[in-house]
Every structure is written in C-alpha cells, then in structure tokens.
Amino acid sequence: MIAYNILPGLNLKGSIILPGDKSIAHRAIILSAISSGKTIINNFPANKDCQASIEVFLQLGIKIKQDKSGRIVVFGKGLKGLTKPKRPLFIEESGTTFRLLLGILAPQKFEAELRAGKALSRRPMLRVIAPLREMGVLIFGKVAKLENGISEEYPPIIVRGNNLKGITYSMKVASAQVKSAILLAGLYANGSTKVIEKEPTRDHTERMLDLFKAGIKHQGKSIVIKGGRALQTPGNIYVPGDLSSAAFFMVAAAILKQSEVSIKRVSLNPTRLGIIKVLKRMGADIKIENIKSKANESEPMGDILVKSSSLKGVRVLSKDIPSLIDELPILMVAASCAKGKTIFEGVGELRVKETDRINSMLYNLKKMGVDIKSIKVGKSENIVIHGVNQLKGAKLKSFGDHRTAMSAIIAGLAADGKSSIDDVSCINKSFPEFLRVLKSLK
Ligand code: S3P
C-alpha cells in the first residue's frame, strides 16, 4: 500500500506525451506473436497489464525482447507456432490479456490453464467462454451461482484446444474483449465467424487484424473473419498515446483554474472518442490539432489542447457508454464540478471492472460533498450527479483500482482542502508514470 497526499490549488500548464495505448499494445503483441517474422513495436507502454501480455507469450514459446531504443521486438512464429506452456499461465490483473488469450488458446493443439490475480479472479468470464464453447473448445472455469440464481464462471480456467467451427454470434454485452476473443478464435476456425454488435465497441482488434492482412470484413454492424489465413506482419507498429490516460489530464485542465495542457500524439480512434464528445458538450474548451489519420497504418492520432472551462451538466445516453466506458470515473469527477445535473445512463458494466466502480466513485465523491446516486433501471443502472460549487478535501480510497485512484487524485486537486488516498500502487496497472507526468505540469 502506498498512501498519497493531495494538495489542492494547482493550475496545470504544459505539454505532455503519454505512453502508448494499453488496448492497442495488447493487440500488437498478440498479432505479432501469431504472424511470421519480426515485428517492432514503438511507444509500447511500460505498465503491468501490457507486461502480463508479454510474459504470457514468452511462456507460449515466443521470443520477445526490448531493443536499445526501448522498442519491443516480437519474433512471431505464425498461426500454429505457439507451444504448450510448462506451467499454468498467470495473467496477474490484466482482463484484456486474459479474455483475448482465451480466444487464442481455444484453437491450439494443447491444454493450458489460465490463472489470475485476486481482483481479476472475481471478474465474469462466461461472456467469453460461452461463444468459444459454441465454436467447439472444451473450456472449464470456476463455476459459481450469483444472487439471482444464474451461473457465472471465473478464473482459473482450463482451455483444452480443439478444431473450431465458425459461428455467427450476436453480442450479449457490449464488450470489445469478448468481440476480440471471438474474432481471434475465428482466425483459426473452419469457415467464417461473424460477430454482430448492437452498439459499436472499440475496434482495435479489427484494425490490427486488417493491418496484419487477416482479410477481415465489415458488413453493417457485423464483422466477419474467415479462418485459416496466415497473418503478415507490417514490420513496424507505432502505438499512439493512451486516450484513457489522457482523459485524466483533460478533465484536470478543464476543472482547474488557469490551466492549459497540450497532450501530444494521442490515439483518436473514433470508437474511443466519447470522452471528448461529452466534455465538449459540457462546455469544455478542447481543440484537436495535428491529426494524422494513420499513426501506424491503422490507428489515427493527434494532439489535444484543453483549457480551463466552466462545465455544465449533460445527459449521456447508454448507446454512448461503450465509447467512454473506462473514462466514466473521471467523467464523474467532471460532472461533480459542473453546474447542474449530469446523468450517465446504462452504466451497469462498471460493477464488473477492476473494482465495482459505481461503488468506488460514489464512496469518494460523496465524501467530497457531491450529491451522487445510482438508480437501477431494468438490468442496468444510471448514475445521477448534481455538481457542487466546490469539492471538499477528504480521505479517499482507491479500492485497488487504477482509474478510481487517478480520478480521486484529480478530484483532490480541485478540492478546497487537503485530501489523501489510501493506496496508489494500483496505478501501475495502466500508467506508472501518472504522478510524474502530473508533477511535470505544475
Ligand atoms: C478493453 C475493453 C473494455 C475496457 C478495457 C479494455 C479492451 O472492456 O473496459 O479496459 O482492450 O478490449 P470490456 O470489453 O469488458 O468492455
């Protein structure tokens, strides 16, 4: 546990470049490992989750090293090049590694066991297991009954690889991790695999598959992949800065007086832009500059300039939630400092993130004097926030969750007195440089 004291009264000024996007980096490792030949990954983030992806592929027989310039070099062995791991694969707390890996292991000729850290072992896996079972893999999770009597499955999970058949699958929850696991398994399946999304989720897997010439096709709201085609490495991949990390500085610059922050070379993938759209609707002074439509021949990026703004409350519809799912904690901080009421509709998925983020953010923001509540609506939930003129300094908790911790720190900067947070070590999961970058803006 590493406690941290937060002193308010700062204004943030300066220009920053952030480590590469976590979601894109995971996919870069995975597809490089199962394509043939050398792939060099630039601006790969040095966080715990992405390290978990590297560790796992090392154990699956892939050579990966870091060169003198800090780039990650992956020596891929083709679709059939992975080898049986000598021991159970330990995925730490990386949900993306865990779920995407299930899709890669399902078609292998060996059995593997996937284990996870404490928090990830409590996160639901049936959403990925069910479609993979339909494709023909034998897969066994730890079964538990939920309060409503429905069965769920959790890590550890044993995957007994098998020949897979292509399926057509309509997504039950909006989840890029689930979609990606199915598409990755589809790479190996007999025939075509089709995933139908109700609402679009982040499309990094599709873009990366396209970059590796997997022959992926879009048909309206569906994505189709044909099995059996060898992947071709693009040779070099640049991972643009992480928009989810940028979000903390965007909100900080908007809510702290006399601030002006420029964030360079950030991923501007259209399926992730919810945070920018909502902040703009709230009245934030945000400009996007130097847009490059293709940072790595598949992902757009650009610079984001944010200045102090007076924010107003808005209504965010459930259809827009997938485009800002990871930014909800920091958007709740923005809403707490905005004039009037903000409603985030259909945010039930927050209950099954690294921690229950509805619980963690309600706990912290209530302590800071915010009128915030969650309301059950059908199977999902809405969050309603009435902004306050001034947040109160308070003793805050991270609940072991990186995004709750970073959101609490930014809220603390906007408070009227000193705040503290019980543990910030969890920030290493996605953004170990966070406090250093924040200090560089003072
Ligand atoms: C991710 C997808 C999202 C997101 C997570 C990263 C990804 O999860 O919350 O941080 O890289 O595919 P879900 O697929 O569970 O929505």
Side-chain angles (χ1 to χ4, degrees), residues 21-24 26-27 49 95-97 99-100 123 127 171 173-180 201-202 204-205 244 272 322 325-327 349 352-354 357 402-403 429:
D21 182 89
K22 185 157 84 75
S23 288
I24 298 174
H26 286 300
R27 277 117 174 132
D49 272 14
T96 305
T97 310
R99 291 190 174 130
L100 270 55
R123 297 181 65 187
R127 51 183 65 197
M171 295 288 291
V173 270
S175 163
Q177 293 175 349
V178 175
K179 169 180 66 177
S180 302
T201 58
R202 62 188 70 191
H204 305 300
T205 302
S244 296
R272 298 272 296 277
I325 184 76
D326 290 343
E327 288 67 71
E349 270 295 296
V352 290
K353 292 295 174 189
E354 281 81 336
R357 287 186 178 151
H402 57 140
R403 296 206 166 102
K429 185 178 201 291

Side-chain angles (χ1 to χ4, degrees), residues 278-316:
V278 168
L279 283 176
K280 277 192 171 168
R281 278 208 286 131
M282 293 177 90
D285 183 348
I286 301 183
K287 286 192 184 63
I288 310 290
E289 298 168 336
N290 300 323
I291 301 173
K292 286 201 179 68
S293 59
K294 288 189 174 177
N296 59 25
E297 293 170 29
S298 75
E299 293 278 356
M301 69 173 182
D303 304 341
I304 303 174
L305 180 70
V306 190
K307 294 185 190 166
S308 306
S309 320
S310 7
L311 301 181
K312 61 175 195 296
V314 292
R315 182 167 167 213
V316 181

Side-chain angles (χ1 to χ4, degrees), residues 16 18-19 241-253 261 263-264 266-267 275 279 304 306 327 330 431:
I16 50 179
L18 301 179
D242 198 324
L243 183 62
S244 296
S245 300
F248 299 104
F249 300 104
M250 288 163 63
V251 170
V261 175
I263 316 164
K264 308 280 186 204
V266 185
S267 163
I275 171 87
L279 283 176
I304 303 174
V306 190
E327 288 67 71
I330 191 64
F431 193 7

Side-chain angles (χ1 to χ4, degrees), residues 56 59-60 84-91 98 101-102 105 110-116 140-141 155-161:
V56 130
Q59 288 197 52
L60 290 166
K84 183 175 165 60
K86 293 198 176 70
R87 47 183 185 276
L89 297 166
F90 184 56
I91 318 291
F98 200 103
L101 196 65
L102 290 175
L105 292 176
F110 51 79
E111 179 178 304
E113 181 179 341
L114 272 75
R115 295 185 184 167
F140 313 94
I157 292 178
I158 292 176
V159 188
R160 207 165 285 158

